[in-house]
Amino acid sequence: KDREALLSDTLNSIRDGISVLDADLNIMRVNRVMEEWYQEQMPLLGKKCFTCFHKAQSPCDPCPSLRSIETGQVAKDIVPGPKGSSVEWIELYSYPMKDPESGQIRGVVEFVRDITRQKRAQAELETARNYIIDIINSMPSVLIGVDGQGRVTQWNSQAQKALGSGERDIKGLALG
């Protein structure tokens, strides 16, 4: 009883999602975070992970947990979060659980982290980067960026026209 309470308290203190699946992808255990994220699908125990977590009829493609079961190695993917949730993107790691005596894979432990903020920030950075590139390329002046050794690292379309070269010829070109 004490060991079960300790395990439960430990899992529930983790602020990332934890689920334990058997080799057939049936949910054996989840922590409180998973219960919160998938409360519409409760109870989760005994159901297929893809049914509860993705409202699907078959395993996801790609499925890191299946890969982990098949290979015996840790597998990772970035997958969509629960539909209708503020959790839009999840980074999912699947760790194989092996029988200590036989070495056979008995299932996996899934560790899932909400990476929605990181994905949004990444998208915003990409948008800003593209905006700056568009501005630089629309300038009538030749613009060339160099590193500390004087090698070309960036250039605009006017520079490419002026040099009459392709990207392979410009990148890394030493100036000076």
Side-chain angles (χ1 to χ4, degrees):
K1 234 178 183 179
D2 291 340
R3 290 175 69 182
E4 175 60 29
L6 176 63
L7 176 61
S8 185
D9 290 346
T10 301
L11 291 176
N12 287 328
S13 69
I14 298 170
R15 295 313 321 153
D16 294 306
I18 304 286
S19 58
V20 179
L21 311 177
D22 68 16
D24 294 321
L25 303 179
N26 294 306
I27 301 169
M28 309 273 297
R29 183 174 206 128
V30 295
N31 70 347
R32 189 171 294 131
V33 170
M34 295 299 281
E35 289 176 345
E36 290 168 9
W37 286 356
Y38 299 98
Q39 58 188 310
E40 291 179 10
Q41 303 300 320
M42 292 293 285
L44 300 172
L45 301 185
K47 295 179 183 174
K48 298 286 186 189
C49 61
F50 51 84
T51 301
C52 292
F53 302 155
H54 301 287
K55 298 180 183 175
Q57 299 302 313
S58 59
C60 305
D61 184 22
C63 176
S65 293
L66 276 180
R67 276 199 323 274
S68 187
I69 290 167
E70 291 167 0
T71 66
Q73 303 294 314
V74 175
K76 173 196 165 212
D77 272 316
I78 294 176
V79 298
K83 288 181 169 68
S85 166
S86 63
V87 179
E88 296 173 16
W89 292 101
I90 292 173
E91 184 175 55
L92 188 152
Y93 286 87
S94 292
Y95 299 90
M97 287 188 313
K98 297 181 182 178
D99 182 282
E101 293 175 16
S102 69
Q104 277 191 313
I105 308 284
R106 295 192 305 191
V108 294
V109 176
E110 292 183 328
F111 176 85
V112 286
R113 174 167 283 159
D114 178 2
I115 60 166
T116 303
R117 287 178 46 198
Q118 294 93 317
K119 291 287 276 185
R120 286 180 183 164
Q122 189 177 32
E124 289 172 10
L125 282 172
E126 184 64 23
T127 299
R129 180 184 174 279
N130 290 337
Y131 179 70
I132 291 168
I133 288 171
D134 288 346
I135 290 172
I136 289 171
N137 281 328
S138 68
M139 297 178 82
S141 304
V142 170
L143 293 172
I144 297 175
V146 295
D147 63 16
Q149 285 77 42
R151 290 186 304 259
V152 175
T153 58
Q154 298 176 333
W155 58 93
N156 69 351
S157 56
Q158 295 301 330
Q160 193 159 336
K161 287 177 192 172
L163 294 171
S165 303
E167 179 177 340
R168 291 181 190 177
D169 299 326
I170 297 174
K171 190 169 186 131
L173 181 68
L175 298 179

